[in-house]
């Protein structure tokens, strides 16, 4: 092997190692104009549609609670809404919660039921214009089933 070939192979090895290290570093979540904002206060909820719905479950036990992936065409935003869930029971269990997750960079916002009478909550928004997608997650302690139930929606 001559010096030039050895140098070329060493350079390729260093470049490859650098690319592998770069790929292993997680990307920072982007922040867009509507990220973290309230869909009602901004008016984005005015044209909202439900793009995906999932009933919460554990195995074959299906809850009455469900999580929705809501979307605004005007704002290009998505958020999660938990409905028909159980509020917390003091000193026993926390209430249900919902999470919006932007799939491209992992940006997330969560809401939770804080009062026994609560049955619904919705998260702050994330930007979600194609090709970016988001998914919604919900969880709840279903008192009729006597255990925790959860579900993800399909992405949109």
């Amino acid at each position: 092997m001559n010096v030039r070939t050895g140098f070329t192979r060493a350079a390729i090895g260093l470049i490859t190692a650098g690319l592998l290290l770069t790929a292993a570093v997680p990307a920072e979540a982007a922040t867009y104009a509507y990220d973290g904002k309230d869909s009602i206060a901004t008016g984005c909820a005015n044209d909202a549609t439900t793009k995906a719905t999932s009933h919460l479950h554990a195995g074959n036990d299906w809850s009455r609670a469900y999580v929705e992936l809501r979307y605004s065409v005007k704002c290009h935003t998505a958020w999660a809404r938990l409905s028909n869930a159980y509020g917390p029971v003091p000193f026993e269990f926390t209430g249900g919660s919902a999470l919006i997750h932007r799939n491209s960079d992992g940006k997330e916002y969560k809401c939770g039921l804080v009062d026994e009478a609560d049955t619904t909550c919705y998260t702050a928004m994330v930007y979600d214009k194609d090709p970016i997608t988001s998914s919604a997650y919900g969880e709840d302690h279903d008192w009729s089933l006597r255990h925790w139930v959860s579900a993800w929606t399909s992405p949109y």
Side-chain angles (χ1 to χ4, degrees):
M1 171 177 9
N2 65 34
V3 173
R4 184 175 174 172
T5 305
F7 177 76
T8 303
R9 286 183 181 163
I12 290 171
L14 287 172
I15 290 169
T16 303
L19 290 174
L20 290 175
L21 287 174
T22 302
V25 176
E28 289 289 323
T31 300
Y32 296 94
Y34 284 117
D35 282 354
K37 302 278 194 289
D38 182 286
S39 60
I40 295 172
T42 58
C44 296
N46 294 343
D47 76 333
T49 58
T50 299
K51 294 299 183 179
T53 302
S54 290
H55 275 89
L56 279 53
H57 67 281
N60 289 326
D61 291 338
W62 294 87
S63 173
R64 66 183 189 145
Y66 55 95
V67 62
E68 297 170 271
L69 178 62
R70 304 282 292 160
Y71 186 78
S72 166
V73 173
K74 179 184 85 172
C75 300
H76 304 292
T77 54
W79 60 95
R81 180 170 66 185
L82 178 69
S83 298
N84 225 21
Y86 291 92
V89 174
F91 309 110
E92 291 186 39
F93 290 101
T94 58
S97 63
L99 174 85
I100 187 68
H101 174 86
R102 186 165 56 219
N103 299 318
S104 59
D105 63 9
K107 175 79 91 177
E108 295 180 331
Y109 296 103
K110 188 175 184 177
C111 69
L113 305 179
V114 294
D115 186 87
E116 276 185 80
D118 288 348
T119 60
T120 301
C121 74
Y122 63 96
T123 67
M125 300 182 294
V126 294
Y127 180 74
D128 183 357
K129 185 176 181 183
D130 190 30
I132 296 171
T133 64
S134 299
S135 299
Y137 173 78
E139 66 180 0
D140 188 32
H141 189 276
D142 189 310
W143 292 106
S144 63
L145 298 174
R146 301 192 191 305
H147 56 78
W148 284 93
V149 290
S150 62
W152 281 95
T153 64
S154 56
Y156 181 84

